């Protein structure tokens, strides 16, 4: 098995279950290590700086951009920036592990377009926008207005699914987990 220089990217419209599946992958494959992104958004109550994200000011984020410290970055929401740090990749690879990214669709698309070697991209979706809507309502962490925004955005993000290596329809979590397991097992075996 080779881990050298490898990256696995989970991407999806919000509410598709991407983070659940990324956490599942991390829990069953000790070869994987989560790449902690930098963000300008405020921490949520349960989040830990340096574990969930590196929480930085807008000024600090700007310096990261200017100093070329970011592998990729996006303004995911209005005035909220998120970016993958080169230093995370170096840390992970120096531990002989595979980097796992949980990033938005545009950021993942940009990486995919640069046709990198050793990158596995997995796009997670629900079978329909209705299912996604229901899930966002059940998650109860967004207002109706924010849910409408996310649905609109999701329908745009779905246009990009053809660019990724694999698409998993996550209506049944147990099946989606099995698919994640198979894809990663196979990817880890590649030289
Ligand atoms: P949240 O604020 O809910 O943690 O994340 C919002 C969105 O930003 C999610 O889709 C998440 O995957 C994405 N995201 C997190 N870190 C990065 C990053 O480093 N780069 C990009 N492009 N998106 C990110």
């Amino acid at each position: 098995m080779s881990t050298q220089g490898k990256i696995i990217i989970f991407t999806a419209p919000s509410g598709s279950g991407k983070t659940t599946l990324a956490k599942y992958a991390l829990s069953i494959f000790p070869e994987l290590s989560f790449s902690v992104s930098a963000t300008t958004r405020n921490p949520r109550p349960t989040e830990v700086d340096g574990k969930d994200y590196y929480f930085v000011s807008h000024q600090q984020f700007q310096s990261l951009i200017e100093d070329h410290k970011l592998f990729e970055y996006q303004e995911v929401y209005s005035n909220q920036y998120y970016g993958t740090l080169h230093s995370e990749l170096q840390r992970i690879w120096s531990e002989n592990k595979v980097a796992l990214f949980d990033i938005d669709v545009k950021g993942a698309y940009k990486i995919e377009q640069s046709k990198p070697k050793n990158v596995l991209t997995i796009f997670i979706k629900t079978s329909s926008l209705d299912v996604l809507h229901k899930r966002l309502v059940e998650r109860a962490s967004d207002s109706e207005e924010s849910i409408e925004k996310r649905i609109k955005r999701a329908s745009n993000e779905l246009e990009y699914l053809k660019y990724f290596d694999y698409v998993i329809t996550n209506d049944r979590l147990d099946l989606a987990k099995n698919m994640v397991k198979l894809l990663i097992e196979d990817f880890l075996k590649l030289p």
Side-chain angles (χ1 to χ4, degrees):
M1 183 212 60
S2 163
T3 54
Q4 212 42 52
K6 285 185 177 175
I7 300 174
I8 297 173
I9 300 177
F10 280 83
T11 193
S14 166
S16 310
K18 159 186 61 156
T19 303
T20 304
L21 289 169
K23 284 192 173 149
Y24 168 71
L26 287 163
S27 76
I28 60 166
F29 290 106
E31 301 91 333
L32 307 186
S33 180
F34 180 62
S35 166
V36 180
S37 296
T39 182
T40 59
R41 84 149 161 77
N42 292 326
R44 297 180 182 132
T46 57
E47 287 179 329
V48 178
D49 188 34
K51 181 169 168 271
D52 298 289
Y53 283 106
Y54 296 106
F55 295 99
V56 298
S57 64
H58 279 88
Q59 207 181 343
Q60 286 169 320
F61 201 93
Q62 191 56 37
S63 302
L64 290 173
I65 297 172
E66 283 165 15
D67 298 341
H68 307 287
K69 298 268 169 72
L70 297 174
F71 177 73
E72 66 78 40
Y73 71 93
Q74 288 295 314
E75 183 180 8
V76 177
Y77 299 115
S78 170
N79 212 27
Q80 282 182 6
Y81 290 83
Y82 296 76
T84 307
L85 293 152
H86 282 297
S87 57
E88 279 294 285
L89 280 174
Q90 293 316 323
R91 172 184 68 76
I92 292 167
W93 289 338
S94 73
E95 291 166 1
N96 286 322
K97 294 202 170 180
V98 174
L100 186 144
F101 294 0
D102 173 341
I103 63 175
D104 87 311
V105 174
K106 287 222 171 96
Y109 171 70
K110 270 202 178 163
I111 298 173
E112 179 68 41
Q113 287 305 93
S114 70
K115 292 275 167 257
K117 274 194 205 150
N118 293 341
V119 175
L120 171 69
T121 51
I122 304 177
F123 186 101
I124 314 288
K125 65 185 262 293
T126 51
S127 56
S128 70
L129 288 176
D130 283 347
V131 173
L132 184 65
H133 187 272
K134 191 164 166 270
R135 218 177 262 178
L136 287 169
V137 170
E138 280 167 5
R139 192 161 87 170
S141 61
D142 299 286
S143 62
E144 186 52 39
E145 190 197 343
S146 155
I147 289 176
E148 288 316 318
K149 266 196 202 152
R150 280 169 196 262
I151 294 290
K152 243 193 178 160
R153 187 192 170 96
S155 87
N156 177 265
E157 288 171 331
L158 286 167
E159 303 278 318
Y160 287 81
L161 63 80
K162 57 181 175 286
Y163 298 109
F164 298 102
D165 296 331
Y166 294 95
V167 177
I168 295 180
T169 300
N170 179 23
D171 282 356
R172 288 242 333 254
L173 186 59
D174 54 342
L175 291 183
K177 280 181 171 174
N178 278 335
M179 286 189 244
V180 163
K181 185 166 178 278
L182 285 175
L183 291 179
I184 296 180
E185 263 168 8
D186 189 62
F187 180 66
L188 292 178
K189 278 189 212 143
L190 297 177

